[in-house]
Amino acid sequence: MDQDALERALLSAHDAGDTEKLVHLYTFAGDRAEQRKDVDAACFYLTHAFVFALESGASEAVQLNMRLADYGRAHPLQF
């Protein structure tokens, strides 16, 4: 998925209020940014994924929190 398609998918998921898809798409975007070694962008996307995971009660919240904590961008939480 190229960046334009990703941005369209994110906007569509926001419009639909599809938090499951938002968690997936923001995590995907974070993964891609990590591959480019762009830690700031990765943490930006992963933070969004984490917030939507928390909001929806998704199990991915645990792993996302740990990834952000590894970058010093969050405190490790106990779930």
Side-chain angles (χ1 to χ4, degrees), residues 23-61:
V23 171
H24 170 74
L25 290 169
Y26 277 117
T27 301
F28 175 76
D31 293 344
R32 284 183 34 180
E34 276 184 328
Q35 290 172 353
R36 293 189 316 268
K37 308 263 190 261
D38 188 345
V39 173
D40 287 336
C43 289
F44 172 84
Y45 290 121
L46 294 174
T47 298
H48 281 74
F50 179 53
V51 168
F52 285 110
L54 286 173
E55 187 175 282
S56 65
S59 62
E60 291 92 342

Side-chain angles (χ1 to χ4, degrees), residues 9-31:
L10 282 165
L11 289 173
S12 176
H14 274 286
D15 286 344
D18 188 341
T19 55
E20 182 179 332
K21 194 167 205 169
L22 287 166
V23 171
H24 170 74
L25 290 169
Y26 277 117
T27 301
F28 175 76
D31 293 344

